[in-house]
């Protein structure tokens, strides 16, 4: 079983930046593709970004492309989401997810989920 713990969320003004972290334990981290999803109040959880288990392939939702960057440090068992030029519409609970091998851009493609970290962007 893989356990995931997100951190780094907070309140930031529009145009600002945050870096989310997701620390993994309980598995061989380098075997897992990792993803970030978010859920705003009253909305469905949506895909944000993903990175392959070797880190060579990355994927982004159109809404964050050019502003967000996903990366991973397999030595630290951690995946990151650098968020720049934040907008009020980025306000959501951000979740980290993991799947063994491969990578996915859909909720159903992931077996393990963290509890989420809140990101609030004020206008």
């Amino acid at each position: 079983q893989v356990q995931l713990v997100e951190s780094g969320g907070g309140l930031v003004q529009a145009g600002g930046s945050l870096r989310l972290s997701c620390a993994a334990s309980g598995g061989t981290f380098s075997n897992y593709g990792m993803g970030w999803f978010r859920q705003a109040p009253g909305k469905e959880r949506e895909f944000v970004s993903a990175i392959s288990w070797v880190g060579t392939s990355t994927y982004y939702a159109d809404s964050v492309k050019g502003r967000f960057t996903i990366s991973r440090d397999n030595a630290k068992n951690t995946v990151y989401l650098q968020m720049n030029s934040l907008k009020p519409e980025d306000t959501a609970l951000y979740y980290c997810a993991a799947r063994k091998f491969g990578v996915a851009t859909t909720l159903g493609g992931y077996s393990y989920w963290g509890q989420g970290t809140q990101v609030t962007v004020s206008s």
Side-chain angles (χ1 to χ4, degrees):
Q1 290 285 342
V2 175
Q3 291 81 45
L4 305 171
V5 179
E6 303 95 335
S7 62
L11 173 63
V12 64
Q13 288 189 330
S17 298
L18 283 174
R19 188 177 81 154
L20 305 184
S21 300
C22 173
S25 61
T28 303
F29 182 69
S30 58
N31 289 345
Y32 288 82
M34 302 297 295
W36 286 97
F37 292 76
R38 67 187 181 186
Q39 187 167 18
K43 295 188 177 181
E44 295 185 350
R45 195 173 301 188
E46 65 176 4
F47 169 75
V48 175
S49 184
I51 187 166
S52 62
W53 52 301
V54 294
T56 53
S57 299
T58 58
Y59 304 85
Y60 297 93
D62 288 343
S63 59
V64 307
K65 204 170 292 183
R67 300 188 297 123
F68 291 10
T69 303
I70 191 171
S71 62
R72 66 188 295 158
D73 185 339
N74 286 347
K76 295 183 178 180
N77 291 354
T78 302
V79 62
Y80 304 97
L81 185 68
Q82 178 66 44
M83 306 187 296
N84 298 330
S85 302
L86 282 162
K87 305 175 181 179
E89 51 263 44
D90 294 319
T91 295
L93 189 59
Y94 282 71
Y95 295 91
C96 174
R99 60 167 284 152
K100 199 164 187 182
F101 302 122
V103 64
T105 60
T106 59
L107 274 73
Y110 289 88
S111 303
Y112 306 99
W113 292 84
Q115 294 300 306
T117 185
Q118 178 67 40
V119 171
T120 303
V121 184
S122 63
S123 56

